[in-house]
Amino acid sequence: MTAAGLRVVEPVPVLRVQSLVKEYGEGDARVRALRGISLDVQRGDYVAIMGASGSGKSTLMNILGCLDVPTSGSYLIDGADVGLLNEHQLAILRNRRVGFVFQSFNLIPRMSALANVELPLVYGGVGQAERRERALAALEQVGLTDRVHHEPNQLSGGQQQRVAVARALANEPALLLADEPTGNLDTASTNDVLEIMDRLSASGRTIVIITHEDDVAAHAKRVIRLVDGQIVEDRRQAPVDGPPPRLRENDGAVVQ
């Protein structure tokens, strides 16, 4: 309560993870991929989740994207408790609240860039005229208005990933979730994709990016590092409403 007697209402985090545990197998073969992960991600934050192979970051990504369920613990996205949803409700939540960007692009080969971006809107039941308008706007955000009718095999790797980012944005999700989005790209294409992420972050988009690369994580406002399924570092690099940091070209040092 404030001095004036008014109740202060805290903003609902886009993500709230509490005591998350994920186990595979049974008995002596049991593997604990996640060991009690707890974290909040506020609206407008840009978070990099880092870790070596086997650290649990991919398992965490799958749970955050509602592609897997934890053994125990809770996960809320935009205030909705994922553990209370049935399969149909989960599918709706994935479609409307989470935009996915994967390392391998996952574009449909014989469909144009425009049709690929429209796909989640088709699944969401959006009408044709609105679908086209929103898809074109998303492609404009990633600088591909001159490639809307090109199929994936007519695009470079960087352009394909930009189509994937546009597709993730088409439904205006609460969360943009990117899994190693620059892993298959050359340096120039990596810079293009990261510049887009920076612009999206500056516009207030909530982003969680899974990466093992320090230069990618340097663009984020917050870095979370996993080791053996546990958070060993949670470091803020810039305020939620501030610009992301940058790397100096010659020495790799982070500058604000």
Side-chain angles (χ1 to χ4, degrees):
M1 302 290 285
T2 66
L6 299 176
R7 184 181 299 276
V8 176
V9 179
E10 294 294 330
V12 175
V14 172
L15 297 180
R16 170 157 285 173
V17 173
Q18 294 179 309
S19 304
L20 211 63
V21 172
K22 181 63 179 181
E23 297 179 344
Y24 297 99
E26 297 180 355
D28 293 340
R30 180 182 299 170
V31 175
R32 299 192 78 191
L34 297 178
R35 302 167 179 261
I37 298 287
S38 295
L39 64 95
D40 284 358
V41 175
Q42 301 297 332
R43 198 168 306 278
D45 210 350
Y46 183 179
V47 181
I49 297 178
M50 302 191 70
S53 178
S55 64
K57 67 181 189 298
S58 294
T59 300
L60 180 59
M61 193 282 294
N62 288 334
I63 293 174
L64 295 182
C66 304
L67 301 172
D68 198 359
V69 295
T71 304
S72 63
S74 64
Y75 167 40
L76 283 73
I77 178 166
D78 237 11
D81 190 336
V82 175
L84 301 179
L85 304 181
N86 59 35
E87 285 298 324
H88 177 67
Q89 292 168 326
L90 273 176
I92 292 174
L93 184 142
R94 278 194 299 266
N95 180 262
R96 296 181 182 174
R97 307 259 186 110
V98 183
F100 295 95
V101 181
F102 297 99
Q103 179 176 345
S104 56
F105 318 143
N106 288 4
L107 301 179
I108 307 300
R110 301 304 300 171
M111 293 175 65
S112 69
L114 182 61
N116 267 284
V117 175
E118 285 185 314
L119 204 54
L121 300 172
V122 173
Y123 295 146
V126 178
Q128 184 175 3
E130 182 183 353
R131 195 166 69 221
R132 181 62 51 90
E133 181 180 354
R134 286 165 63 174
L136 286 171
L139 284 164
E140 184 177 5
Q141 284 189 74
V142 300
L144 286 179
T145 52
D146 59 339
R147 295 289 189 272
V148 295
H149 299 300
H150 288 61
E151 294 179 357
N153 64 1
Q154 299 171 310
L155 301 172
S156 68
Q159 289 170 335
Q160 290 184 60
Q161 191 61 293
R162 285 152 65 189
V163 173
V165 172
R167 180 182 57 192
L169 295 173
N171 260 334
E172 299 181 353
L175 169 67
L176 183 63
L177 185 58
D179 184 18
E180 301 280 4
T182 62
N184 286 339
L185 303 181
D186 59 27
T187 301
S189 297
T190 291
N191 290 336
D192 288 344
V193 169
L194 291 175
E195 285 178 9
I196 290 169
M197 293 292 186
D198 289 349
R199 291 201 303 271
L200 292 171
S201 175
S203 71
R205 185 72 59 181
T206 307
I207 302 171
V208 173
I209 186 168
I210 309 296
T211 184
H212 66 277
E213 300 178 27
D214 289 331
D215 56 345
V216 173
H219 285 252
K221 298 173 180 176
R222 177 184 175 194
V223 175
I224 295 172
R225 194 177 299 272
L226 301 183
V227 173
D228 294 334
Q230 295 179 300
I231 294 176
V232 297
E233 181 184 27
D234 189 344
R235 171 171 50 89
R236 180 155 296 285
Q237 302 187 135
V240 173
D241 58 352
R246 290 292 182 272
L247 286 179
R248 291 196 185 96
E249 196 169 313
N250 56 349
D251 63 5
V254 175
V255 294
Q256 301 292 343

